């Protein structure tokens, strides 16, 4: 089935989500306070020993959102 992956970048935190559940967060680095671009990749090199090739991977949707209310320092 399909899974949803997400990332929220705030002035203080980068928050990672999997199927709408927070997996973790880390402080926002200065590099993330510049304009960012999305990248969709099906790279499987980091799980090479568990990967059976060929693999069919389908991206069903890619979205980007702005917060309803801008962050205070933006």
């Amino acid at each position: 089935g399909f899974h949803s992956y997400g990332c929220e970048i705030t002035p203080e935190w980068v928050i990672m989500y999997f199927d709408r559940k927070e997996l973790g967060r880390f402080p926002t680095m200065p590099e993330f306070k510049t304009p960012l671009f999305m990248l969709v990749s099906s790279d499987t090199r980091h799980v090479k020993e568990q990967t059976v090739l060929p693999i069919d991977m389908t991206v069903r949707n890619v979205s980007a959102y702005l917060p309803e209310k801008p962050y205070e320092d933006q």
Side-chain angles (χ1 to χ4, degrees):
F2 287 94
H3 293 283
S4 64
Y5 300 87
C7 179
E8 180 179 6
I9 301 173
T10 73
E12 293 86 24
W13 297 103
V14 175
I15 308 165
M16 305 298 291
Y17 298 93
F18 176 73
D19 287 339
R20 298 182 179 259
K21 294 181 181 163
E22 183 177 328
L23 287 182
R25 60 175 63 207
F26 58 90
T28 301
M29 299 182 294
E31 296 86 356
F32 290 175
K33 295 183 181 186
T34 62
L36 299 172
F37 300 90
M38 290 194 306
L39 172 67
V40 178
S41 173
S42 61
D43 184 4
T44 58
R45 288 179 287 177
H46 64 285
V47 290
K48 190 180 295 184
E49 55 278 346
Q50 301 170 1
T51 305
V52 179
L53 298 174
I55 296 176
D56 289 329
M57 297 182 76
T58 303
V59 176
R60 184 172 64 179
N61 182 43
V62 176
S63 301
Y65 302 93
L66 288 172
E68 289 182 12
K69 180 181 173 191
Y71 298 112
E72 289 185 21
D73 58 337
Q74 290 184 337

